[in-house]
Amino acid sequence: MAGAAAVMVAGCDVLVVIHHQHGWPHGYSYWLEGSLSIPVWLAIGLLITIRVPGNRLGWLGLSLSVCTGVQLFSGALATQLAGTGSGSAAVNWLAAVSAAGQIGVVGGLMVFGYLAPSGRLVSRRWRPMFVALLVGLTLVVLNSMLTDSGVRNEVAVAHAPLTVVPSSVLHAGLIVANVIVVFALPAGVASLALRYRRGGTVERQQLKWMLFAATTAAFLAVVVQRVADRLWPGAELPGTIIWAIIGCCLPVGIGIAVLRYRLYDVDRIVSRTVSYLLVTGSVVGMYVGGVALVDGVLGFSSSVAVAASTLAAAAVFQPLRRRLQAMVDRRFDRAAYDARRTVEAFAVRLRDQVDVDAVRDDLLATVERSIAPSTATLWLVAA
């Protein structure tokens, strides 16, 4: 599976190079984000399959890589044939296969919500909803292959290869599929919430990593993408790079969660991410507000306003960062916050303590509260 996906991606990249050499206006547009994200999915899928063979998420990651490879190669080959002006039937079928591969990727990400992080459903009661999700995704795949709008998302000049199914039937099937998917998606989120509530410490840390990856991907898609559109209107490359990074966020988070690599760093990472976002937003807002105040209200020149606002933002950066970091740590990294407070309190008591036995007992109690080891022993050696 990994070899097949790699070959299809390589074939897609070769075809895209040919597209650019000929200067065809309808070049295949999904190649870059797929070419960047597939190696990450392949690596994570192989690692999980080899290191945790009983977990189905590894095979699901490899399946997503194959679906993406099918989408890329079929779409690029259809674009190649459309550019040469030959094989309209082949163009239609390849575009339909490419559309099916894209839906398969999106559906696979929804399946992850039901199976992560153990590779199994929460319980047997979730099987009907899981089967309904698979049925709904199958209907969506068929609709994308049998309608012009579905295949033209992949290749602009393509048409549906099959027209034997009446449009009314396709429309009804799409409505049913959308209803199923609309109910199945929040059900997947509910299953993750149920896992978190029932799970132990390790499973909760795994789910935190996956939630952090999903939140990062959503932030890039909703916020950063819009900012890039405003900064570079009409440019496709920034958005393509952003979506390539989005495609890499989820496999990295899933890989860390399943392989249990540095699980307990997620609280610190979330805390630092939230705090720096708040600091950045506050400093930028202060800078913009300062420029508007000095320039528009006080009547100074724009250069003076920029300089004054820059100095003010630089002056408040460190105090603001420390204050916001403490506030965020109390909410998102409570264990580290409590441990730091415990150590600080011990340092204060140590200044006034002269009894060696009392210092030893206090030190052991501090270690117990801040690190929570299974055992702790202290040796005092007389010099």
Side-chain angles (χ1 to χ4, degrees), residues 199-213:
T201 303
V202 172
E203 190 169 18
R204 289 187 175 186
Q205 294 298 112
Q206 290 176 305
L207 293 174
K208 283 181 181 179
W209 267 108
M210 297 179 61
L211 179 61
F212 176 69

Side-chain angles (χ1 to χ4, degrees), residues 74-118:
S74 300
L77 184 56
T79 305
Q80 169 80 15
L81 295 177
T84 58
S86 61
S88 59
V91 170
N92 296 337
W93 277 106
L94 288 171
V97 172
S98 182
Q102 186 182 34
I103 299 299
V105 173
V106 177
L109 295 177
M110 297 177 66
V111 171
F112 264 108
Y114 282 85
L115 301 180
S118 62

Side-chain angles (χ1 to χ4, degrees), residues 156-222:
V157 297
H159 298 278
L162 292 176
T163 57
V164 294
V165 181
S167 59
S168 59
V169 175
L170 288 176
H171 183 67
L174 181 60
I175 293 176
V176 173
N178 288 334
V179 170
I180 294 175
V181 172
V182 164
F183 280 99
L185 184 59
V189 176
S191 69
L192 290 175
L194 185 61
R195 284 182 189 273
Y196 187 85
R197 182 178 179 181
R198 294 180 178 179
T201 303
V202 172
E203 190 169 18
R204 289 187 175 186
Q205 294 298 112
Q206 290 176 305
L207 293 174
K208 283 181 181 179
W209 267 108
M210 297 179 61
L211 179 61
F212 176 69
T215 305
T216 303
F219 177 78
L220 291 172
V222 175

Side-chain angles (χ1 to χ4, degrees), residues 87-312:
S88 59
V91 170
N92 296 337
W93 277 106
L94 288 171
V97 172
S98 182
Q102 186 182 34
I103 299 299
V105 173
V106 177
L109 295 177
M110 297 177 66
V111 171
F112 264 108
Y114 282 85
L115 301 180
S118 62
R120 298 184 299 272
L121 296 174
V122 179
S123 64
R124 293 182 178 180
R125 296 178 180 178
W126 290 86
R127 285 183 179 178
M129 185 58 67
F130 184 71
V131 173
L133 172 63
L134 298 180
V135 172
L137 292 174
T138 303
L139 293 176
V140 174
V141 168
L142 292 176
N143 184 80
S144 67
M145 297 179 66
L146 300 176
T147 58
D148 288 345
S149 60
V151 297
R152 285 177 180 173
N153 287 331
E154 300 296 320
V155 182
V157 297
H159 298 278
L162 292 176
T163 57
V164 294
V165 181
S167 59
S168 59
V169 175
L170 288 176
H171 183 67
L174 181 60
I175 293 176
V176 173
N178 288 334
V179 170
I180 294 175
V181 172
V182 164
F183 280 99
L185 184 59
V189 176
S191 69
L192 290 175
L194 185 61
R195 284 182 189 273
Y196 187 85
R197 182 178 179 181
R198 294 180 178 179
T201 303
V202 172
E203 190 169 18
R204 289 187 175 186
Q205 294 298 112
Q206 290 176 305
L207 293 174
K208 283 181 181 179
W209 267 108
M210 297 179 61
L211 179 61
F212 176 69
T215 305
T216 303
F219 177 78
L220 291 172
V222 175
V223 179
V224 179
Q225 175 69 50
R226 293 186 177 181
V227 173
D229 291 339
R230 292 291 184 90
L231 294 177
W232 300 283
E236 295 183 359
L237 184 59
T240 301
I241 295 175
I242 291 172
W243 279 101
I245 298 174
I246 291 172
C248 297
C249 288
L250 292 176
V252 170
I254 292 170
I256 293 175
V258 176
L259 298 173
R260 300 183 182 183
Y261 175 75
R262 302 181 71 89
L263 277 181
Y264 292 90
D265 286 347
V266 65
D267 294 326
R268 182 178 180 84
I269 293 174
V270 171
S271 172
R272 293 298 181 268
T273 302
V274 173
S275 63
Y276 277 103
L277 286 175
L278 292 176
V279 170
T280 302
S282 301
V283 171
V284 170
M286 184 179 301
Y287 173 81
V288 174
V291 170
L293 176 64
V294 176
D295 188 13
V297 178
L298 301 181
F300 290 95
S301 64
S302 59
S303 59
V304 174
V306 171
S309 299
T310 303
L311 291 175

